[in-house]
Amino acid sequence: MRAIDRSKRSGTLLPCALVVLQSVLYGFGDPISKLAYDEVPLFTLLTVRYWIAFFALLLLFGRSVLRELKTASWRSLLPPCLCIATTYLISNLALVLTSATSVAFLRSLSTVVTPLLALLVFRQRLSRRLLPVYVLVVAGLYLLCGRGGLSGFGAGEICALLSAGLTAGALLFGERSLRGVSAAALTTVQAGMSALLALVCALIFEGGVRTDTISSLSWGIIAYLAVLCTAAGYLLQNLAMYTISARTVALLQCLCPVMTAVFSFFLLRERLSAAGLAGTALILTAVAAATRLDTPSGRPPETAA
C-alpha cells in the first residue's frame, strides 16, 4: 500500500509543478500589467494580447488542432472556452470598479467555488479530509489580500465574485472536454474565444483597437502576457488536468496572489504586512497538504497534446 501511495504522489508531482509554474507566470504578469494599463486602454490591451496568443498557438499546433476540431464535440468544447474568455474580461472590469485587494480576495475564492460547483452540478463528492485545507486557503487569502480588502460590496465586488465562479466553470468543464480533445486544441480555442470577446468589447466600449498609444515597453509587456500568461498559462493548466482534478488545480492556483505579492515587492516595492506574511504561510501550508492528500483523477486522456 505504501508503494502504491508513493506512486500516486509521484504521478501528481509533475502536473502540480505545471500549475505552480502557471502561478509564477501569472504572479509576474500582474504587477507589470499595471505599467501597461497606464497608457493602453483595457480592452485594447486584452484584444492585442489574446490575438497574439491565438496566432502563436496556431503557429505551434495549427495543423493538429484543425484536424481535431473537425471531429470534436463543440457541445463539450464551448463551455470551458466561454467561461475562460469571459472571466478575464469581467475580472479586469472589476479592477476598474473596485480596489485591487477586493478583487484579489474575491477572485481567488475560485479555489473554494470549484469543489462546491463540482458537488452541485457534477455530483462530485468532496473528501472530508480536504475541508481543513479549504479553511486554511480562505483564511490565508483573507490575510494576504489586505484582510479581505472589503470596504463595501458593489458592482466591482459582484464582478470579482462572478469571475471566481466562471474560473471554476472553466476548470470543471475543461476537465471534461479533455476527454475528447488535446490540451493544445482546448487551449487554442480558449485563446481564440478570448480574442473575439475582447475585440467585441474594444469595439463597443473604446471605439476600436487603439494601438497608437502602445509604447515599446508596453509592447514587451503585452508580448509576455500573450505568450507566457495566456498561451503557455492556459496550456500548462490543461496539461495538468490530464492527471489531477480541476479541484486540485484550483487549490494550487491560490499560489497566484502569493506570487503576485512576491513580484510586487521586487518590482513595485510593495511590502507585505505581518498579516500578509501569515496569510502566505497558511496558503503554502494548504497547498503542501493538498498535494499530499489528492489522488490522480483516474482517467487517462484520450488525446495527447
Side-chain angles (χ1 to χ4, degrees):
M1 278 299 291
R2 290 182 179 179
I4 294 175
D5 289 340
R6 283 196 297 269
S7 175
K8 287 182 177 180
R9 283 198 291 270
S10 63
T12 62
L13 183 60
L14 177 58
C16 287
L18 295 180
V19 183
V20 171
L21 177 57
Q22 180 198 34
S23 296
V24 172
L25 295 175
Y26 283 0
F28 183 71
D30 283 342
I32 65 173
S33 294
K34 290 186 177 182
L35 302 175
Y37 280 134
D38 287 339
E39 62 179 32
V40 185
L42 169 64
F43 294 114
T44 290
L45 188 151
L46 293 176
T47 300
V48 176
R49 167 184 174 175
Y50 290 131
W51 280 109
I52 291 175
F54 177 62
F55 286 120
L57 289 163
L58 281 182
L59 186 64
L60 289 173
F61 308 114
R63 289 185 179 180
S64 62
V65 167
L66 290 175
R67 283 198 303 268
E68 283 188 58
L69 294 183
K70 290 179 181 178
T71 58
S73 169
W74 284 92
R75 185 176 180 180
S76 65
L77 194 58
L78 283 178
C81 296
L82 286 172
C83 284
I84 206 167
T86 308
T87 187
Y88 286 107
L89 294 178
I90 293 179
S91 177
N92 282 278
L93 178 60
L95 286 171
V96 176
L97 296 174
T98 189
S99 67
T101 51
S102 292
V103 175
F105 174 63
L106 293 171
R107 183 179 58 191
S108 296
L109 289 180
S110 59
T111 299
V112 180
V113 175
T114 300
L116 293 177
L117 190 62
L119 176 64
L120 294 173
V121 177
F122 299 112
R123 300 293 187 267
Q124 295 179 5
R125 291 185 179 181
L126 175 63
S127 173
R128 290 183 180 180
R129 60 182 181 173
L130 283 174
L131 291 178
V133 172
Y134 288 108
V135 173
L136 280 178
V137 166
V138 174
L141 289 172
Y142 183 80
L143 292 172
L144 177 62
C145 301
R147 298 186 181 180
L150 300 177
S151 56
F153 202 90
E157 285 74 19
I158 292 173
C159 287
L161 269 180
L162 184 57
S163 175
L166 288 167
T167 299
L171 291 172
L172 291 167
F173 288 119
E175 183 181 22
R176 296 205 160 200
S177 291
L178 288 169
R179 297 174 183 176
V181 298
S182 68
L186 178 59
T187 301
T188 302
V189 178
Q190 285 177 324
M193 188 72 69
S194 300
L196 283 174
L197 285 183
L199 177 59
V200 170
C201 289
L203 293 172
I204 294 174
F205 299 110
E206 297 171 359
V209 181
R210 298 161 51 191
T211 58
D212 55 302
T213 62
I214 304 179
S215 66
S216 56
L217 174 61
S218 293
W219 275 115
I221 292 173
I222 292 172
Y224 175 89
L225 296 173
V227 176
L228 294 178
C229 289
T230 301
Y234 287 9
L235 186 60
L236 290 169
Q237 173 180 293
N238 291 329
L239 285 171
M241 285 194 295
Y242 276 142
T243 306
I244 59 177
S245 67
R247 291 172 294 184
T248 302
V249 171
L251 261 174
L252 293 169
Q253 285 177 341
C254 69
L255 285 173
C256 187
V258 175
M259 295 297 106
T260 298
V262 171
F263 286 117
S264 293
F265 171 77
F266 290 106
L267 298 175
L268 305 175
R269 298 303 176 189
E270 295 180 358
R271 294 181 178 273
L272 278 179
S273 63
L277 292 172
T280 299
L282 288 177
I283 291 171
L284 293 175
T285 301
V287 168
T291 55
R292 292 186 63 84
L293 292 174
D294 184 61
T295 56
S297 61
R299 51 159 186 79
E302 295 181 15
T303 331

